[in-house]
Every structure is written in structure tokens, then in C-alpha cells.
Amino acid sequence: SAEHNPQQIQSHTQPAGILKTIRKANKIININLQNYNENKRTTKKITKNRKKRHVFLIGDSIIQGQKTEFKQGLDEHKILCRPKTRLPEPVHLVEDLRCKKEDIVIVLCGTRELEHKTRDEISLQFEALIHTLKTKSKNAIITSILPQRHDVNLNSQILLTNEKVKQICAGKGVMYLDLMSHYTGQNYLYKKDGIHLNKVGQAKLGSLLTIATLELTTTLEQKLAIYKIQQAY
């Protein structure tokens, strides 16, 4: 551990012992400071060398707060928020995108679909959406449907639908981002309507989207470097 044992410091009653302990503590502090500076430089280099892309986030009213939360300065972001959007509308939004194959396209939708459609209908529409995404970008992300705060029965249906969407993504080679596990039972992340996210919930969503974006576009070599940095702490 980088922290020195307080009991050991107290045990040194002679001046020589105290000086020795101080020198040892200073040495530990200097080593940790050197490691911190080295890791900081490595992280900065990884971020600098990472190829910038345009990031398109498409979704319904759930993503309204992402115009401020999902901007980390790593890429050019464009938020396409369409309140009350229902499947298959996101398919048409993706089709109309002017993007390159290297650009990142994230779609968050389906928030209230199960109130009007069966799971099979939604699964088919997600499959069409994922197929369209594949034609537009090789860096596509589909998020899970978010749970609702008040409706336990509906959330069980959302869970089953998400499992099906996850299977489709795996079969098509598209990244699936699980949001449901981060929001289930977390009532403090929601507004009073139990559907939309409050500021804390939006901040959490922005972080999850950013992590997924980095994971998708960071090379294996960079991931290993980041892993080493994480292990150092």
C-alpha cells in the first residue's frame, strides 16, 4: 500500500527514527507521483492518437439531456432527438444520415413500444433497424430499452425484449449496450413520470454512452495500455 502505517510513525520516538520514517514516506510519495505523471502522459497520448469520428446519437425524448452530457471533446457529436419517435421511424432516420462508414451511430429507442406492440413485432422492427445500421456504419451501437420506474410487469416484458435484441445484435455483429441493468430499481435516476431521466440519470447515460464509444473505437494496443494504467491503481 502507498499509505504509510500511522502506528509505525508513532512508534518512532527518537529523532533519528522520525527522520528515517519521513524520508521513507517522501520516497513513497515521489514514486507514486512519478507513476501518476507517467500514466497521465500515456492517457493523453492514447486520446491524442485516437482517430476522431463523427458520432450520431439517435433517439426519442429519453436523450434530450445528452446535448450537454454526451460531449466529451473526443469526437464531433450530433444529437438527433425526436420526441415521440416510434419504430420503424428510427430506421428512416438512419437511412437519411449523411455519415461515413467509420462514423459511430448510436440508436436508443423503443421506450414505450411495448404499450402498443407485441414483443415479436418489436423484435422484427429492431432487426430491420440493425440491418439498416450495418449498411451505414461499421461502428454501430444499439442500446437496450430503458426500464420504467413504476411498472414492474412492463419491465419484465422489456427485459425479455432486450434479450431478443441482444441476440439479434450478436448475430449481426453490432455492439449492444446494456442500459437496463444500470437503471433497474434506481428510482432516483428518474423524473416523477417514471419514464424520463432526471439530471443525474442523464449524466449517467452520458457516461455509459461515452464508455461504449471509447470501447468500440479504441484499438487493442490502446486497450492494453489503459488496462495497465487501471491496474496501477
Side-chain angles (χ1 to χ4, degrees):
S1 173
E3 295 182 1
H4 198 79
N5 189 340
Q7 293 180 349
Q8 187 176 352
I9 293 176
Q10 292 174 4
S11 67
H12 293 282
T13 56
Q14 300 300 320
I18 293 172
L19 288 173
K20 186 177 180 181
T21 301
I22 291 172
R23 290 193 195 100
K24 186 175 181 181
N26 286 337
K27 186 176 181 181
I28 292 170
I29 290 169
N30 288 332
I31 291 171
N32 285 341
L33 186 61
Q34 289 172 5
N35 289 338
Y36 170 78
N37 289 331
E38 184 180 347
N39 291 339
K40 191 175 179 182
R41 285 193 296 270
T42 305
T43 305
K44 188 175 180 181
K45 185 178 179 182
I46 290 169
T47 304
K48 184 179 178 181
N49 293 339
R50 183 175 168 274
K51 186 177 179 181
K52 288 193 174 183
R53 300 168 171 84
H54 285 88
V55 180
F56 296 88
L57 174 60
I58 300 171
D60 51 28
S61 56
I62 294 295
I63 67 169
Q64 280 180 336
Q66 295 310 304
K67 291 181 180 180
T68 54
E69 296 297 342
F70 186 46
K71 288 189 176 180
Q72 304 298 323
L74 296 178
D75 299 282
E76 296 294 329
H77 292 64
K78 186 168 184 180
I79 313 295
L80 301 177
C81 178
R82 299 292 185 270
K84 298 183 180 180
T85 294
R86 299 282 186 271
L87 286 164
E89 289 174 49
V91 177
H92 307 312
L93 290 173
V94 171
E95 287 174 339
D96 294 338
L97 277 183
R98 294 182 178 180
C99 64
K100 299 177 182 178
K101 279 283 189 179
E102 293 77 20
D103 290 339
I104 302 161
V105 183
I106 309 170
V107 181
L108 190 162
C109 63
T111 304
R112 306 191 72 167
E113 299 289 346
L114 280 162
E115 296 174 13
H116 312 285
K117 302 172 185 175
T118 66
R119 291 205 314 271
D120 289 339
E121 288 174 324
I122 296 170
S123 297
L124 286 172
Q125 290 176 336
F126 263 104
E127 191 164 5
L129 173 60
I130 292 166
H131 174 77
T132 305
L133 271 172
K134 287 279 287 185
T135 65
K136 299 293 289 189
S137 171
K138 63 180 182 181
N139 292 312
I141 301 175
I142 288 283
T143 76
S144 65
I145 302 172
L146 281 170
Q148 296 187 19
R149 188 176 71 177
H150 301 303
D151 200 326
V152 176
N153 292 329
L154 182 61
N155 285 341
S156 65
Q157 295 299 310
I158 291 174
L159 179 62
L160 293 171
T161 305
N162 282 336
E163 285 299 319
K164 182 63 178 177
V165 173
K166 183 179 179 180
Q167 291 174 9
I168 297 170
C169 286
K172 299 288 185 180
V174 170
M175 183 176 180
Y176 172 82
L177 175 58
D178 171 30
L179 298 178
M180 187 164 187
S181 63
H182 293 277
Y183 286 87
T184 299
Q186 306 299 311
N187 294 344
Y188 71 96
L189 299 174
Y190 287 84
K191 292 183 177 180
K192 290 181 180 180
D193 64 7
I195 298 171
H196 295 92
L197 303 176
N198 58 26
K199 289 183 179 180
V200 179
Q202 288 288 352
K204 186 178 183 70
L205 178 58
S207 297
L208 292 169
L209 292 173
T210 300
I211 291 168
T213 301
L214 289 170
E215 184 180 341
L216 185 68
T217 59
T218 304
T219 65
L220 179 60
E221 182 180 356
Q222 290 167 341
K223 285 179 182 177
L224 288 172
I226 292 170
Y227 175 77
K228 288 178 181 178
I229 291 171
Q230 291 172 338
Q231 292 303 303
Y233 294 98

